[in-house]
Amino acid sequence: MNRTSAKAAVLGTAVLALTACASTPPQGATTAEAKGGAYTWWDPYPQHDAGSAWAKRVGACGQQAGVTIQRTAYDTTALTNQALLAGQEGNAPDVILLDNPAVSTLADAGMLTAMSDFGLEVNRFDKNLITAGELDGKTYGIPIGANTLALYYNKKILDAAGVDPETIKDWVSLNAALKKVKEAGKKPITFAAIGTEEGSFQFLPWFWGAGAQLTQLDSPQAVEALQLWSSWLKDGLAPNSVISNSQNTTWEEFLTGEFAFAENGTWQIDSAAKAGFPTGIVQIPAKAGGTAPTPTGGEFITVPVQKDTKRYDVTKKILECMTTPEGLVETGTTFAYYIPSTADGQQAILAKEPSLKPWVAAVQSAKGRTSDNLGTKYPKISEALWTGVQKALSGAASPADALKEAQAQAKQATGN
């Protein structure tokens, strides 16, 4: 999430991520240099250099498998483009760590090996998480962890406004809380509605929480979700800046101490703990009550097709090392925080960090963006969705008209 980027060009347009990494030169050896006696690993974490805890974590799994891992780090867009190119040239690395919406794109291009082809057990991974790595009934990647969204709150503002966050259970109670904050002279809520994948990512909990489906962007439920967001701007409960807000700028707004709520993700846990005011989180509520499904962010380990299939035996050992309960906890805490993608891993991280309990619950109810077998159709649908959200929030069209146009755009782009 805080390590991923916007959509790539050409074939890479099907790969959408959530926030931008700085473009950094690759670290480590090329595939051709390493194939002799080492195993090659590509990931989207250029901010973690060779001396980082992450690099050591990857290296240790190689050592446990009896090989040396030579790691190359690209930003997400460059990684996806390089992966597609390497697949076309037959020179792919042994392992690629991909943002989860990219898995179906590379699988559809025929460059990934199904987990079943080299005997890796996937049933232990949470079904709602691993579906993002599935295409046409086969699993092409496994999650190293997951992050997702919730509502952070400023306890000082809520106390002053007489709002108990525990009472926020549905849209009615949330709206009541926001109005109390405004009446107390404070700013109620901020979020990211920027015209990129980040905007879709932040809108999806409200969209899904209303009961809408990505196959029908203009359903009555979808319109209700967009009407909710639009009403917040119209009624002064959210600032107009949300139209151009990224998740990072939204978080910067929240850290000023002026907002009661901000929609943001697991990756802000450490930052929230260091804020100059007490914070907490509540789950994003569904319209009629309960927790809304939130989209999953996070990377999947994938295995590109190799001409020498004997390499898969060692690759399997590397993947198993990365995804033991202990391994998932180590990855989760290295990135502060990823929630482990298995029940055993979640229990293990809670034993170490009990405060993560609300985030574990959020991940357990989350949903992959490419789920429902959307696969490579998702990026086209998402672009139509964020375009519609932008039109409605800017006042260029009503929520109903904006989503009617969005549905037409998605239908034309996907062919159905």
Side-chain angles (χ1 to χ4, degrees), residues 4-363:
T4 51
S5 67
K7 62 179 183 175
V10 195
L11 286 174
T13 54
V15 184
L16 297 171
L18 307 179
T19 53
C21 288
S23 180
T24 303
Q27 300 163 4
T30 67
T31 305
E33 291 170 337
K35 274 292 174 72
Y39 273 62
T40 47
W41 171 293
W42 291 1
D43 67 44
Y45 309 141
Q47 69 273 39
H48 296 286
D49 63 22
S52 67
W54 169 247
K56 293 175 181 176
R57 164 111 182 82
V58 172
C61 278
Q63 291 175 2
Q64 186 169 319
V67 297
T68 298
I69 289 182
Q70 295 197 0
R71 170 180 170 256
T72 304
Y74 299 93
D75 70 31
T76 298
T77 298
L79 173 64
T80 304
N81 289 335
Q82 285 294 121
L84 288 165
L85 180 61
Q88 292 166 0
E89 295 176 345
N91 190 33
D94 292 288
V95 179
I96 305 180
L97 206 57
L98 292 169
D99 187 42
N100 69 79
V103 177
S104 59
T105 298
L106 270 65
D108 188 60
M111 68 165 293
L112 297 183
T113 304
M115 298 292 105
S116 58
D117 288 349
F118 58 97
L120 190 75
E121 176 56 56
V122 299
N123 290 337
R124 61 193 176 94
F125 295 92
D126 286 3
K127 182 63 177 176
N128 66 315
L129 301 180
I130 202 164
T131 52
E134 295 176 352
L135 182 68
D136 298 331
K138 288 191 175 183
T139 301
Y140 290 92
I142 54 176
I144 62 166
N147 47 38
T148 195
L149 297 166
L151 292 177
Y152 284 88
Y153 62 81
N154 181 326
K155 187 176 184 299
K156 184 177 179 181
I157 290 178
L158 294 193
D159 287 349
V163 173
D164 179 0
E166 295 296 322
T167 64
I168 298 173
K169 303 294 185 183
D170 52 24
W171 287 6
V172 171
S173 54
L174 175 60
N175 278 330
L178 298 180
K179 290 174 182 177
K180 281 187 177 182
V181 170
K182 184 182 179 185
E183 290 167 359
K186 297 296 184 180
K187 298 177 181 178
I189 191 167
T190 185
F191 52 91
I194 191 171
T196 69
E197 175 63 11
E198 292 185 59
S200 290
F201 190 80
Q202 291 234 325
F203 183 60
L204 281 173
W206 313 96
F207 181 87
W208 283 333
Q213 299 293 323
L214 286 169
T215 51
Q216 191 65 41
L217 298 182
D218 60 349
S219 68
Q221 296 87 351
V223 173
E224 283 183 305
L226 191 48
Q227 285 173 336
L228 177 71
W229 268 22
S230 296
S231 71
W232 288 351
L233 271 68
K234 182 180 178 181
D235 297 339
L237 301 178
N240 287 330
S241 62
V242 301
I243 297 173
S244 58
N245 271 357
S246 68
Q247 292 183 113
N248 284 338
T249 54
T250 293
W251 189 248
E252 290 167 3
E253 286 183 337
F254 182 66
L255 290 180
T256 64
E258 297 177 359
F259 285 87
F261 294 95
E263 181 179 349
N264 227 290
T266 324
W267 56 95
Q268 302 292 10
I269 290 174
D270 280 356
S271 179
K274 298 173 184 175
F277 48 87
T279 65
I281 71 159
V282 294
Q283 308 298 335
I284 296 175
K287 179 192 173 187
T291 300
T294 52
T296 56
E299 281 73 40
F300 274 49
I301 302 178
T302 66
V303 178
V305 173
Q306 301 293 327
K307 293 178 182 177
D308 180 5
T309 58
K310 294 178 182 178
R311 298 184 70 84
Y312 293 150
D313 290 340
V314 171
T315 302
K316 179 183 176 184
K317 293 178 182 178
I318 295 170
L319 269 60
E320 288 174 336
C321 172
M322 292 295 297
T323 56
T324 62
E326 299 77 17
L328 290 170
V329 169
E330 188 172 346
T331 295
T333 54
T334 295
F335 287 139
Y337 285 91
Y338 255 164
I339 302 303
S341 49
T342 66
D344 287 346
Q346 290 162 9
Q347 291 303 311
I349 203 168
L350 285 177
K352 189 173 184 179
E353 298 286 350
S355 63
L356 294 177
K357 186 176 180 179
W359 287 108
V360 169
V363 164

